[in-house]
Amino acid sequence: MTNQAEITVDTPDDERSKEVRSGRLKRFLENGTPYWFLSPYIIIFGTFGIFPVFFMIFLSFHTWNPVAGLGSMRFVGLENYALSLTDPRLWKTMWNTIAIAVMSGLAQHLVALPMAYLLISLGARARHWLSTAYFLPYVTSTVAVSMIFYIMYSPQSGIINQGLNLLANGTLTSWAFGWIGQFQPIGWLQENSLIRYSISFVVFWKYVGFNIVIYAAGLSTINQELYEAAKIDGASHMQRFRYVALPLLKPFIFFAVTLTIIGNMQLFDEPYVLTRGLQQATSNGMTISNYLYRIGWEWLDMGSAAAVSWILFVVIALFTGLYFWLFGRQGLGGNE
């Protein structure tokens, strides 16, 4: 029995279906080309951006010791949130965070606004050099800045206490600063009454230049004819700053203050380094981010740490939302 080769002949319907499939594939490849190029970013962002957010939500309803592996994860519902909200240490660190945020943030903007106005009043060359000098602390490593200030704050050998000693014992200055000697050595980072101010000053010093640059950029967009008209009307420098510059700077002030609120409420690096990894932290020197770190990486309670992180998220959202509600319409250029 002989095998006969089967010969298949494509019908017009088969050819048409092949053309349709080929056209669909071509359109898919053409339309998907941008997404193929974006796929590395999408994969990385999904892995390190989106997934951690949902995992943190999931984790906040569980207890988990990361050293024991995923098998130690146990569902506890809202217990982590209940324990965190009734923990007095959480509210203590929350108050520390708000106090440091207000002291450092308010000082930043009260200094940055007039300094930016002064820079704009100077010549272009001086303005560029000074803007760069003021901006340098912002681009300097936070750890390096905090370590330098840690040395400066040293009770025995720090330059701050040494300078105060010179003023207290100097022949020409002892009459005015002699009283400082009875408080030496001053524990800038060891005393509860001083540590908030010490941390706030470091935060202020590092970020005031950033706000100066923002306000200087805003002032440079103001038409100089407005200043000239005010000057002709007899307005002084202070009056031109108050009645011309400040109203037109509202969008820039709104932007800068919003960044300050969000950044200062998440403050971690400065207090962590200044208190040497929280080993020397006093009760007034720990922010909520530092407390969150201690829960997660020292006490190995990742579930409670996740719950605290979401509580912090809600607090930041409330403060930012309140600020938007009070000043957002004016700050974004709307009618008052």
Side-chain angles (χ1 to χ4, degrees):
M1 185 175 181
T2 59
N3 293 330
Q4 297 181 351
E6 295 182 0
I7 300 175
T8 59
V9 179
D10 291 339
T11 64
D13 291 338
D14 294 334
E15 292 180 357
R16 192 177 300 109
S17 63
K18 287 182 179 179
E19 291 178 0
V20 170
R21 288 195 297 270
S22 177
R24 288 176 179 175
L25 178 61
K26 185 177 180 180
R27 287 194 299 272
F28 172 76
L29 293 175
E30 290 177 351
N31 296 334
T33 298
Y35 300 101
W36 294 117
F37 284 106
L38 286 173
S39 60
Y41 168 78
I42 294 173
I43 294 171
I44 293 174
F45 179 72
T47 303
F48 299 102
I50 298 177
F51 170 75
V53 173
F54 288 98
F55 183 70
M56 287 290 287
I57 296 174
F58 173 79
L59 188 58
S60 67
F61 299 104
H62 295 75
T63 59
W64 180 43
N65 183 345
V67 177
L70 290 174
S72 64
M73 190 177 293
R74 184 171 59 87
F75 180 78
V76 293
L78 296 174
E79 183 179 330
N80 289 330
Y81 290 94
L83 290 175
S84 298
L85 291 173
T86 56
D87 184 359
R89 288 171 296 188
L90 174 71
W91 298 109
K92 177 64 176 179
T93 56
M94 181 71 75
W95 170 246
N96 292 341
T97 304
I98 294 173
I100 294 172
V102 170
M103 287 189 291
S104 61
L106 189 62
Q108 287 177 45
H109 297 282
L110 290 178
V111 172
L113 277 167
M115 287 298 298
Y117 184 75
L118 178 61
L119 284 178
I120 294 298
S121 302
L122 300 175
R125 180 173 298 180
R127 180 169 69 247
H128 294 326
W129 278 102
L130 289 174
S131 297
T132 302
Y134 289 133
F135 194 72
L136 275 177
Y138 176 74
V139 297
T140 304
S141 167
T142 303
V143 175
V145 169
S146 301
M147 286 301 298
I148 290 172
F149 272 94
Y150 177 81
I151 297 171
M152 293 172 62
Y153 282 139
S154 174
Q156 303 298 334
S157 59
I159 190 173
I160 297 177
N161 279 351
Q162 293 294 323
L164 292 175
N165 280 331
L166 289 176
L167 291 175
N169 300 320
T171 305
L172 299 178
T173 57
S174 59
W175 64 273
F177 299 97
W179 57 272
I180 297 177
Q182 62 183 318
F183 298 102
Q184 291 286 8
I186 301 175
W188 299 101
L189 299 174
Q190 290 75 31
E191 298 182 16
N192 265 331
S193 59
L194 296 176
I195 191 168
R196 284 179 187 163
Y197 301 101
S198 303
I199 295 173
S200 298
F201 181 79
V202 177
V203 177
F204 159 78
W205 183 87
K206 180 168 173 59
Y207 294 102
V208 66
F210 175 76
N211 292 297
I212 289 175
V213 171
I214 290 178
Y215 292 142
L219 288 167
S220 64
T221 64
I222 298 177
N223 193 333
Q224 294 298 315
E225 293 179 359
L226 298 175
Y227 292 119
E228 295 297 330
K231 187 176 181 180
I232 292 173
D233 290 338
S236 62
H237 277 288
M238 186 64 189
Q239 290 173 326
R240 293 199 293 272
F241 172 71
R242 179 179 178 183
Y243 297 108
V244 178
L246 279 182
L248 296 175
L249 273 180
K250 284 181 179 179
F252 295 89
I253 296 173
F254 180 79
F255 172 72
V257 173
T258 301
L259 291 183
T260 300
I261 293 173
I262 297 173
N264 282 7
M265 288 301 295
Q266 300 179 83
L267 197 63
F268 175 83
D269 295 347
E270 290 85 351
Y272 182 84
V273 176
L274 288 171
T275 56
R276 300 298 294 269
L278 306 178
Q279 297 303 316
Q280 300 177 6
T282 57
S283 60
N284 287 346
M286 187 184 300
T287 64
I288 190 170
S289 294
N290 298 141
Y291 182 54
L292 190 157
Y293 171 86
R294 174 165 284 183
I295 294 172
W297 296 105
E298 292 188 14
W299 302 340
L300 298 177
D301 187 358
M302 287 296 176
S304 295
V308 172
S309 69
W310 282 109
I311 292 172
L312 176 60
F313 170 80
V314 171
V315 171
I316 293 175
L318 288 175
F319 276 108
T320 307
L322 179 63
Y323 179 68
F324 267 70
W325 181 66
L326 292 175
F327 304 106
R329 192 171 182 179
Q330 300 177 27
L332 294 175
N335 296 327
E336 297 185 11

